[in-house]
Amino acid sequence: MSTATREGTIKGRLGDSPPRPDGLAKTQGAFAFAGDLSADGFLWGATLRSPHAHARIRGIDLSAAWKIDGVAAVITAGDVPGKPTYGLISKDQPVFAADVVRYVGEPVAAVAADHPETCRRALAAIVVDYEMLPPLFDPERAIDGSHPPIHPDGNVIRRQRIITGDQSLQGEVIVEGTYELGMQDQAFLGLEAALALPDPGGAGVELFVATQWLHEDRGQIAACLGLAPEEVRLTLGGVGGAFGAREDISLQVHTCLLALRTGRPVRLAYSREESFLGHVHRHPATIWMRHHATAQGSIQRIEARLVLDGGAYASTSSAVLINAVTHVQGPYKCANATVDGYAVRTNNLPCGAMRGFGVVQACFAHEGQMDKLAAACGLDPVEIRLLNAMETGDSLITGQVIENVAPVAECITRVAALPLPDAPVGGRDGDPLDLPGGAGLTADPAHIRRGIGWGVAIKNLMYSEAFDDYATARCTLSNGVASLKFATVEVGQGFVVLAQQIARSVLGVDDVVLEPIDTTIGSAGSTSASRQTWMSGGAVDGACRLVRERLFELVGAQYDIEPVQLAIDGRDVIDTMGTLRVSVSAATAGIELVETFEHHHRPTEELDENGHGNCHTAFAFVAHRAVVDVDPELGLVKVVQVATAQDVGVALNPLSVLGQIEGGIAQGLGLAVMEEIIFTDGRVRNASFTDYLLPTMLDMPTVVAALIEHPDPMAPLGAKGVGEPPTISSTPAIVAAIRDAIGRDLSRVPVRPADICLP
Amino acid sequence: MREINLVINGSDVQATVADRLLLSDFIRDDQRLTGTHVGCEHGYCGSCTVLLDGASVRSCLTLAVQTDGHVIETVESLAVGADLHPIQEAFRSNHGLQCGFCTPGLLMTTLELARENRDCSRDEIRERLAGNLCRCTGYHQIVDAVQAVLRTGLSR
């Protein structure tokens, strides 16, 4: 009784690499990014920002701005009807600075007008009377209390210690170092943009915005607008990359305020320069570490002091700090720890989420230490890491037991077995593009030195510290077509294709329609923390499975078969104990099966004052090996190859996984040798892509990747998140390779030419 | 203000524009062809790449008045109805895009290369496309896509 209407097997199931559905619109130029949105009669918005790092606002004169033809609104802190501040964890950041500005770039006012030029003139006409206050730029002065509080919440956002085991143990071998990281920008290409539409009936506002978490935005926006959450409706505007920078509020509240004030649609978009000021960045950090080990190289105790510069407002600094302190042991066994960490407030740019979220900083330190330890013990970098590699069942320094699959040693040995580059030092055929410095023809090929370095990492997945993290999805099955609804933000990572793969696999359908991503369904949580495959994937899988149960009940009742005997085979429902075979489309003809599922991960705990507690949900692991060519005379680096083995659980879409790995390595390379926001007295000096350097196609090394696939029983689909690990240990691997090439102790990223070639 | 006459994606266009209007703003705001993206505003990222008389240009570094009497091709010219152009299909099937913001610029740069109608090594592809930044992919799957289309050619 086969009623299947299509030939062949279903394409695009889990484990295949189907192309992403939005690839059609994205390659045609038809995909609407947030900055492409428009509405009849819309006004342009723009933001006035503080030119000072720390100053009191004595007064603001808006009168000249209001007089400009075409200006429809000029608003400041006094125009915020609801809560004057927002924030992801503590609500400490003003919508507009009211009495004090705390960083260069802090919003002070906003305007709406008929043309961007009018906006520019209006901003220039606003007169703000500032009284300078002493700025705080040095994180150590935030800690030692020598600078008065720059915010009512104080200058220390969070301090967290981890005190575990023997506090006086001294190893036979002791190595120590201090490691520094500069401030990295997420540098997504699609600039911040939003379009707000006021409800004509006065029932709130609708916002189209590129963000990472629609429901969290909605809650923060509604509070500031003084509206109920249901009066603020959010739809995802196309997101041109995120990498953490869209997790915080930037222009959302301003755009809504201008729209509500004018009663007209308002479109607000940042320029590239403004974007550097308008979102949070990766925390600059200074990390001191001392490792104690046996003479043979087994780690016995770590000591660490971590200082993260959170900038002017808290954002996610406290969570970034927890990630940093709880990952500072690396993927290595360690029984005793003395760790002290601070996230502090300064008058620098606010810092928050960026891919890797605190673990990037910790990993750069612990991997530098592992190489020092190897040298001190007479081992090579692979031996020291294998000797100490963590396994399932080991306790972290927080006391949390690793319950996940933990193939650390396997990641390391698989990378070690991957081929080294066959290109000789300095490249082949005398092509200058293979040389450090490229076609600048600055490198003398005879002097180029090659180095090899290692980095290995542990990364938590999902949210931590007792947060009830969940994701919601709805599945509708009708006439053999599945339709999925979720608020999961697609930033480019490819959840949209994964969701279709899940539905095809569970329900035996070819066609999976994706409904708009908006707030008309429950939250999906944030697209961050490598969590959406696990969380929203779990929600879609759960919803599809509920629908499949209904389908089996239906078919079972129709043919008098126990539903538990039924299964999906290809496009059909089959009786596993008999001969029935009926297509899913025939079985769902003219009916609609609808189910919603909320996936929660297991509960976690807050850390206590000694840093103990089961604070994390799950972990993934990764190893990197980098090969670099270095011009020691001019300090230029060419990354030749990065080899990696990554613990992915299951590769649900192998080409998507590879895309995450290669893209993550590019960002790790950027932090290693290129990317840093440069400041003078809190003022960004390189807020453009000519001065803030991003890896180009010619900077990108060959990538050799091995996917380590051991399905994780804790994960809904057996798959671990794959987005962050590639970014984490690629950076220390590249730096270790440079150290290996030139024999210098490099302790800061990005590595600058002067770090390589000056004594 | 100045009157310009040009061809955009095969259609004659007549417009009166400010002398200093950027081609990118003309394309996006006046012509509502929003597939051409602006990522850096000063010619560095390549997202705004279009073809001017067949040659790739940064539309954010070109004035609209410079296109008077010339032919502009944007990403919207590639597909015929629902039929993807071979370059579009190659990017899509090789996972040569994630967020997709850089994609239109890369497609147009690739089109210029593909019209030379010859195979290229991966190194040569990288050299030709190095002026287009991508922040998501790490570029390898883009090179895969370009290599695939150069091998099969532009015939549909």
Side-chain angles (χ1 to χ4, degrees):
Chain A
M1 192 197 312
S2 176
T3 53
T5 53
R6 296 192 195 212
E7 297 302 313
T9 55
I10 294 176
K11 292 197 175 72
R13 294 160 52 97
L14 290 171
D16 299 340
S17 292
R20 46 188 313 138
D22 58 9
L24 284 171
K26 284 177 173 176
T27 57
Q28 293 177 87
F31 182 83
F33 287 92
D36 299 333
L37 299 172
S38 174
D40 286 343
F42 78 89
L43 295 165
W44 300 84
T47 314
L48 182 72
R49 296 177 179 276
S50 165
H52 305 297
H54 196 201
R56 187 173 311 287
I57 299 175
R58 282 193 294 227
I60 306 182
D61 183 356
L62 307 175
S63 54
W66 274 112
K67 285 177 193 152
I68 295 171
D69 269 357
V71 169
V74 187
I75 58 173
T76 62
D79 298 294
V80 179
K83 197 169 174 50
T85 56
Y86 61 82
L88 275 164
I89 295 175
S90 60
K91 316 281 181 212
D92 72 337
Q93 183 159 3
V95 174
F96 293 110
D99 50 349
V100 178
V101 289
R102 296 187 178 86
Y103 69 96
V104 176
E106 178 161 3
V108 175
V111 300
D114 58 358
H115 193 276
E117 292 291 342
T118 317
C119 289
R120 214 178 337 261
R121 283 200 298 278
L123 293 183
I126 296 173
V127 181
V128 186
D129 180 15
Y130 291 107
E131 173 193 345
M132 295 306 132
L133 296 170
L136 169 58
F137 298 127
D138 179 1
E140 290 297 340
R141 293 197 63 203
I143 294 170
D144 68 21
S146 65
H147 195 286
I150 59 169
H151 188 282
D153 293 354
N155 292 345
V156 174
I157 297 169
R158 182 167 179 178
R159 180 185 187 189
Q160 180 67 53
R161 285 185 290 199
I162 302 177
I163 306 297
T164 299
D166 185 344
Q167 294 299 293
S168 58
L169 185 151
Q170 298 290 307
E172 293 168 292
V173 176
I174 298 175
V175 293
E176 74 177 83
T178 300
Y179 303 87
E180 286 180 57
L181 299 97
M183 186 187 289
Q184 188 178 19
D185 185 43
Q186 298 85 350
F188 47 62
L189 291 189
L191 290 159
E192 288 92 343
L195 174 71
L197 308 174
D199 186 276
V205 63
E206 184 163 10
L207 184 70
F208 296 80
V209 64
T211 177
Q212 290 179 232
W213 188 355
L214 290 166
H215 287 75
E216 173 63 29
D217 276 13
R218 181 177 69 164
Q220 293 189 55
I221 295 165
C224 294
L225 298 179
L227 296 175
E230 59 273 15
E231 292 178 293
V232 179
R233 292 167 297 279
L234 264 67
T235 300
L236 187 65
V239 186
F243 316 116
R246 299 190 208 263
E247 203 165 50
D248 293 71
I249 294 291
S250 56
L251 43 58
Q252 288 89 330
V253 182
H254 301 155
T255 316
C256 290
L257 280 171
L258 290 169
L260 290 168
R261 180 67 179 260
T262 59
R264 288 172 64 181
V266 170
R267 178 178 166 183
L268 213 162
Y270 287 176
S271 68
R272 178 55 63 186
E273 181 182 14
E274 190 173 20
S275 178
F276 273 94
L277 308 175
H279 61 245
V280 299
H281 302 86
R282 189 187 302 292
H283 288 74
T286 302
I287 302 175
W288 167 84
M289 286 199 83
R290 183 187 282 152
H291 276 63
H292 300 262
T294 64
Q296 292 73 36
S298 292
I299 298 168
Q300 296 171 294
R301 177 182 171 216
I302 57 166
E303 296 177 83
R305 180 177 184 271
L306 304 90
V307 179
L308 307 185
D309 183 352
Y313 295 104
S315 177
T316 48
S317 281
S318 61
V320 173
L321 176 71
I322 287 319
N323 262 18
V325 296
T326 58
H327 287 74
V328 79
Q329 74 185 95
Y332 308 112
K333 297 173 196 282
C334 179
N336 306 292
T338 312
V339 177
D340 198 2
Y342 294 87
V344 302
R345 193 188 303 274
T346 66
N347 293 115
N348 291 318
L349 281 181
C351 288
M354 183 174 174
R355 198 175 191 170
F357 203 77
V359 184
V360 164
Q361 291 89 333
C363 185
F364 179 59
H366 68 64
E367 288 306 273
Q369 287 291 100
M370 292 307 283
D371 288 339
K372 286 188 179 182
L373 191 57
C377 298
L379 299 172
D380 73 28
V382 173
E383 290 169 332
I384 193 77
R385 288 171 170 86
L386 284 174
L387 177 68
N388 289 287
M390 193 178 267
E391 300 168 286
T392 304
D394 281 342
S395 287
L396 300 174
I397 56 175
T398 56
Q400 180 165 6
V401 175
I402 299 270
E403 294 173 48
N404 295 101
V405 171
V408 180
E410 186 179 356
C411 287
I412 297 169
T413 52
R414 282 291 294 279
V415 174
L418 291 173
L420 284 162
D422 54 5
V425 175
R428 228 187 284 282
D429 306 330
D431 185 345
L433 289 183
D434 289 337
L435 297 174
L441 290 175
T442 52
D444 178 349
H447 293 178
I448 292 168
R449 297 186 206 157
R450 176 159 289 182
I452 299 178
W454 285 80
V456 189
I458 173 175
K459 175 66 181 62
N460 63 323
L461 308 174
M462 283 76 73
Y463 282 0
S464 303
E465 282 207 291
F467 186 79
D468 180 21
D469 192 10
Y470 70 97
T472 316
R474 185 177 68 222
C475 174
T476 305
L477 180 62
S478 180
N479 298 314
V481 176
S483 177
L484 299 175
K485 174 75 180 181
F486 44 74
T488 309
V489 167
E490 173 60 52
V491 298
Q493 83 278 26
F495 184 75
V496 285
V497 68
L498 177 65
Q500 291 182 318
Q501 292 177 258
I502 294 168
R504 291 189 193 110
S505 297
V506 175
L507 295 172
V509 296
D510 289 280
D511 298 326
V512 183
V513 175
L514 302 178
E515 297 173 41
I517 298 170
D518 58 31
T519 51
T520 62
I521 186 172
S523 177
S526 176
T527 296
S528 62
S530 299
R531 65 180 284 289
Q532 288 297 21
T533 293
W534 187 305
M535 299 302 297
S536 287
V540 168
D541 184 58
C544 290
R545 283 172 187 275
L546 289 176
V547 164
R548 188 173 65 184
E549 280 176 30
R550 296 266 311 277
L551 173 66
F552 289 169
E553 284 164 13
L554 200 77
V555 173
Q558 200 175 346
Y559 296 95
D560 198 23
I561 300 171
E562 283 299 315
V564 293
Q565 281 177 225
L566 298 174
I568 296 284
D569 179 49
R571 296 179 181 83
D572 302 329
V573 180
I574 59 159
D575 178 4
T576 56
M577 316 279 282
T579 58
L580 176 82
R581 175 175 283 271
V582 56
S583 76
V584 173
S585 18
T588 57
I591 60 158
E592 200 175 69
L593 304 175
V594 187
E595 292 289 344
T596 301
F597 188 80
E598 226 175 60
H599 181 74
H600 291 249
H601 66 58
R602 63 176 190 168
T604 57
E605 304 167 351
E606 291 192 22
L607 291 180
D608 66 20
E609 61 177 9
N610 288 322
H612 296 179
N614 297 316
C615 70
H616 295 309
T617 309
F619 300 92
F621 303 88
V622 65
H624 290 93
R625 182 193 68 201
V627 176
V628 302
D629 284 352
V630 181
D631 172 0
E633 288 154 344
L634 288 169
L636 301 172
V637 176
K638 166 87 179 170
V639 183
V640 177
Q641 183 205 57
V642 174
T644 182
Q646 186 167 327
D647 159 39
V648 302
V650 180
L652 301 175
N653 183 320
L655 282 180
S656 275
V657 171
L658 196 60
Q660 289 298 308
I661 288 174
E662 291 168 348
I665 287 171
Q667 291 181 5
L669 180 154
L671 179 60
V673 294
M674 301 174 80
E675 297 182 33
E676 181 176 8
I677 296 180
I678 305 293
F679 290 96
T680 307
D681 296 336
R683 196 179 313 277
V684 178
R685 305 306 302 274
N686 58 342
S688 78
F689 282 172
T690 40
D691 296 321
Y692 183 92
L693 298 182
L694 299 174
T696 71
M697 229 175 249
L698 292 173
D699 297 307
M700 189 64 194
T702 304
V703 172
V704 192
L707 307 184
I708 307 296
E709 294 192 81
H710 300 296
D712 196 302
M714 294 168 63
L717 301 159
K720 294 184 177 183
V722 299
E724 291 172 290
T727 310
I728 295 169
S729 44
S730 50
T731 302
I734 290 166
V735 176
I738 303 170
R739 290 188 194 111
D740 181 51
I742 62 169
R744 293 183 77 117
D745 184 18
L746 302 168
S747 59
R748 186 188 188 283
V749 286
V751 176
R752 299 157 296 194
D755 300 327
I756 291 172
C757 57
L758 291 184
Chain B
M1 302 295 276
R2 190 185 296 244
E3 189 186 297
I4 56 174
N5 292 279
L6 68 158
V7 176
I8 301 181
N9 300 337
S11 300
D12 292 329
V13 172
Q14 188 180 63
T16 305
V17 299
D19 288 5
R20 62 178 186 155
L21 181 69
L22 293 171
L23 179 58
S24 53
D25 291 341
F26 176 67
I27 291 170
R28 286 178 53 78
D29 297 337
D30 295 10
Q31 299 297 309
R32 293 305 298 158
L33 295 170
T34 54
T36 298
H37 299 144
V38 177
C40 74
E41 301 135 1
H42 62 224
Y44 200 85
C45 75
S47 298
C48 68
T49 304
V50 300
L51 300 189
L52 171 70
D53 296 342
S56 59
V57 296
R58 308 293 215 215
S59 63
C60 78
L61 296 183
T62 308
L63 295 174
V65 293
Q66 289 175 278
T67 65
D68 186 26
H70 294 277
V71 175
I72 296 292
E73 293 166 86
T74 73
V75 67
E76 286 89 351
S77 70
L78 293 175
V80 177
D83 287 344
L84 291 187
H85 186 280
I87 295 177
Q88 293 171 316
E89 188 52 50
F91 269 70
R92 189 171 110 85
S93 58
N94 286 282
H95 289 230
L97 71 150
Q98 289 178 27
C99 87
F101 194 86
C102 68
T103 308
L106 274 157
L107 296 177
M108 299 315 287
T109 308
T110 303
L111 179 62
E112 182 187 35
L113 175 61
R115 282 178 178 164
E116 294 175 14
N117 199 22
R118 60 191 178 86
D119 200 3
C120 291
S121 68
R122 292 180 74 84
D123 280 349
E124 196 175 350
I125 292 168
R126 275 193 278 268
E127 196 178 337
R128 287 291 295 266
L129 270 61
N132 290 73
L133 290 180
C134 170
R135 188 57 159 167
C136 296
T137 64
Y139 301 108
H140 288 296
Q141 292 176 326
I142 293 173
V143 178
D144 293 343
V146 177
Q147 196 163 35
V149 80
L150 294 185
R151 288 199 171 143
T152 55
L154 291 185
S155 55
R156 288 170 195 265

